[in-house]
Amino acid sequence: MSTPEVTRTAGSFTYPQVGATRLGPLPEGYHHLHHRTVIGRGRAVFDAAGTAVTTWRMHRATGARVRADSAWARPGATVELSLGRGPVRVAGRCEVVWTAYERNRTGFGYGTLTGHPERGEESFVVDLRDDGSVWFTVMAFSRHGRWYTRAGGPFVRLLQRGYARRLGRTLRRLATA
């Protein structure tokens, strides 16, 4: 079993707690998001879900545009995700700060870079439990980073929770197809 890799390049991260989504606890002074979804059962579902998460396929399948400098999540890889349509499209650049490619746990965490609408970190992890169930967890801490996310107030948090749920549903569909 490999240990999770963590990188702390911290040149243009927009927050000081780089890597906090790996083991927690999440830092105070931020909005916390913790969403867990059952994906299915068994090793095949776990493997398919882990691959979809770490190759950006899960994000793309939700309709997000993904531009990454690596085909898979690895520490130091940068990724730009954008959501929305036309003039309402919002984009943000992140850098992968840690990965876990383990026997029963696969995933990564990435942190916001300068210019991102939020400040913080988010992780996407797939776990295979002892009972054979496969779970997907989104964990994040963030605060507003731009005027328009501040203006959006609680609506932005509602969108974040909704997107986490959508990721779970999408991953379930991808992993069990």
Side-chain angles (χ1 to χ4, degrees), residues 53 58-59 106-110 122-126 136-138 167:
V53 167
M58 174 188 66
H59 284 89
T106 301
F108 69 94
Y110 59 28
E122 190 167 22
S123 66
F124 311 93
V125 176
V126 179
F136 172 62
T137 304
V138 178
L167 288 170

Side-chain angles (χ1 to χ4, degrees), residues 45-166:
V45 170
F46 169 77
D47 290 342
T51 298
V53 167
T54 58
T55 61
W56 322 113
R57 183 173 176 224
M58 174 188 66
H59 284 89
R60 285 187 174 106
T62 67
R65 285 190 189 163
V66 179
R67 291 187 338 183
D69 66 3
S70 178
W72 67 92
R74 61 168 177 71
T78 58
V79 59
E80 180 181 275
L81 281 98
S82 61
L83 297 166
R85 300 197 192 290
V88 189
R89 183 167 287 280
V90 177
R93 279 184 352 110
C94 295
E95 182 176 320
V96 175
V97 296
W98 64 266
T99 58
Y101 289 96
E102 302 171 17
R103 176 162 168 69
N104 295 327
R105 184 171 190 256
T106 301
F108 69 94
Y110 59 28
T112 58
L113 299 174
T114 302
H116 194 287
E118 293 284 308
R119 292 182 178 163
E121 192 171 295
E122 190 167 22
S123 66
F124 311 93
V125 176
V126 179
D127 289 295
L128 177 60
R129 304 272 174 89
D130 290 339
D131 67 359
S133 62
V134 178
W135 289 81
F136 172 62
T137 304
V138 178
M139 188 166 46
F141 62 93
S142 63
R143 56 171 78 133
H144 305 301
R146 306 290 289 238
W147 69 268
Y148 51 88
T149 53
R150 268 189 297 286
F155 182 67
V156 172
R157 302 301 174 220
L158 185 64
L159 288 174
Q160 287 175 326
R161 280 191 291 277
Y163 188 63
R165 285 192 292 273
R166 184 173 180 183

Side-chain angles (χ1 to χ4, degrees), residues 13 21 84 133 156 170:
F13 286 111
T21 58
S133 62
V156 172
T170 300

